[in-house]
Amino acid sequence: MIELKNVHKSFGKNKVLKGVTVRVENGEVIVILGASGSGKTTLLRCLNFLERADEGELTIHDFHVNFHQATRKDILAVRRRTAFVFQNYNLFLNQTALKNVMEGLVTARKMPKVEAEKIAGAALGKVGLSGKYDAYPHQLSGGQQQRVAIARAIALKPDAILFDEPTSALDPELVGETLNVIKRVVCDENIASIVVTHEMSFASEVASQVFFMDDGVIAEQGTPREIFTRPKEERTKQFLRRILPDTDYQI
Amino acid sequence: MYKTIDLVRVLEDLPIVAPGILNTMFIVILASALGIAVGLLLAVARVNRVPVLNQLAVVYGSFMRGTPVIVQLFIVYYGLPMLFKQFFNINLARMAKINFVIVAYGLNTSAVYSEIFRGALSGVPIGQLEAAFSVGLTRWQAFRRIIAPQAFLSALPGISSCVIGLIENTSLAFTIGVVDIMGKVKVIGSATEHYMEAYICAAIYFIAMSLILRRIFSAVEKVLQSRVAGIGSAA
């Protein structure tokens, strides 16, 4: 379970988040939609302390922290309970696929190498890359790199995985395979997942709940069915009209 | 009377100059080690914008790169003993001259190294650090495991040219009386009055040393490229 309460964040005078509250249960997949600049990515980055939120609270299971009071130790604890999948993969360029997956286990969690290797191997198997243990990132395609990044995330057995537009840097033909992998792993593991994406079909298939963000707040939330077929808010309707111009949906 | 260059004399001089190589290499190795250590500290201070240290590093860098190395050599050689005498009452006058040369060249190259490392460190994409944080690494672990190896690889060509440049710069050490290659040349020259042959002999040794070092560095670079980033190795 992961819960964000009343998160505020400004960059200078620009208020990006104006009190966002999100709760995700284990095994649930939350998809966050919204136009660019609405604060989706900032929300994820704040959750993992890649940005420091100005205000708000974070609960991950039994661990509770206040954003602006978080100490270095708290931040590390949050990061060791969560995993992040980046838009542009961010695999460690100086390490092979297997080492990439092992890094967090061995260096951060002090797990013995043999054990970490087993877990990393299994994680790479899950994303369909059993044959690529020794490949360096530059020897892998974008889709393969993102799958390694997903393996790196699930190997940590985190309480929550945060996906930040995981397919938007990929070639169109690679989007499908990557989304399938995400679908498989988030359903397999009993993890709370938050996915920021523009892939509407993914959202409607996989999401337990869809959050629509606009101008730094959650404008509307509901099941995919509710959001896609009966959006209540005018700005949700406008957004969906822009994103799904050809699909007919009922208002 | 006009003297022509005597090649036989060049050959005779070669073994006499040879022991000077030891001192030259000694200076190059220790001064590079000092320069790299100080340079790394300065670079880290600048990349992380550590208050005060950052500004000091900038001033230090512009002084070191804005004054001739021979001036710095004299300042260290004559100034350091005065400083130590006055403030710590320690007498450095009897210390071996070569130590002053090492300190002077170490400080001189540290300014260059700090720029090389600064460029290399800020050349590592920020996403690498964020990814390291996201898997639970501390800042130090991220630096040691992810950032430093990548930065070192891209700093290597710069380090190589700085070390090779230093070999040539050490030829000024004789001015304070250190008997390195140029020191030997001076000795031969004043004993035989055949300076030119001795200079040619020195040139041969300098070229040989820089060629050998260049080879070593490019071999190291190749090995590291495949070890660190898998470049040139099979998938």
Side-chain angles (χ1 to χ4, degrees), chain A residues 107-124:
Chain A
T107 306
R109 303 193 181 183
K110 309 282 176 234
M111 185 184 282
K113 269 201 177 134
V114 185
E115 202 185 333
E117 226 171 273
K118 254 189 221 158
I119 294 176
L124 283 174

Side-chain angles (χ1 to χ4, degrees), chain B residues 26-212:
Chain B
F26 190 66
I27 296 169
V28 169
I29 291 168
L30 289 184
S32 295
L34 178 64
I36 287 172
V38 176
L40 190 60
L41 289 178
L42 293 172
V44 170
R46 292 205 58 189
V47 171
N48 293 319
R49 298 186 191 284
V50 179
V52 184
L53 271 181
N54 184 17
Q55 286 80 349
L56 280 178
V58 173
V59 174
Y60 176 83
S62 54
F63 174 78
M64 282 299 173
R65 286 180 303 146
T67 51
V69 69
I70 193 161
V71 173
Q72 294 165 14
L73 185 59
F74 286 159
I75 289 179
V76 169
Y77 182 55
Y78 294 110
L80 215 56
M82 284 163 68
L83 208 73
F84 269 71
K85 184 98 197 161
Q86 195 159 358
F87 289 104
F88 310 110
N89 201 22
I90 297 170
N91 189 5
L92 293 184
R94 307 199 118 194
M95 207 163 73
K97 288 171 181 168
I98 198 163
N99 294 323
F100 294 100
V101 177
I102 290 165
V103 170
Y105 283 113
L107 296 181
N108 175 264
T109 51
S110 72
V112 183
Y113 283 120
S114 94
E115 288 299 312
I116 293 172
F117 293 142
R118 189 166 71 97
L121 285 172
S122 34
V124 177
I126 184 77
Q128 294 288 306
L129 184 66
E130 293 184 344
F133 284 159
S134 81
V135 298
L137 266 53
T138 62
R139 186 169 277 277
W140 166 243
Q141 288 170 335
F143 179 80
R144 189 169 53 88
R145 303 274 312 161
I146 310 298
I147 309 297
Q150 294 182 36
F152 185 69
L153 189 58
S154 55
L156 208 53
I159 295 174
S160 158
S161 70
C162 193
V163 170
I164 288 161
L166 179 59
I167 295 179
E168 285 141 39
N169 268 339
T170 56
S171 60
L172 291 174
F174 79 92
T175 52
I176 61 167
V178 171
V179 187
D180 62 346
I181 291 178
M182 285 310 284
K184 288 280 182 197
V185 166
K186 279 276 157 194
V187 174
I188 293 174
S190 47
T192 63
E193 299 213 344
H194 286 271
Y195 278 98
M196 186 48 72
E197 286 82 358
Y199 284 142
I200 290 172
C201 183
I204 292 171
Y205 279 126
F206 277 117
I207 288 173
M209 281 195 297
S210 70
L211 279 180
I212 291 169

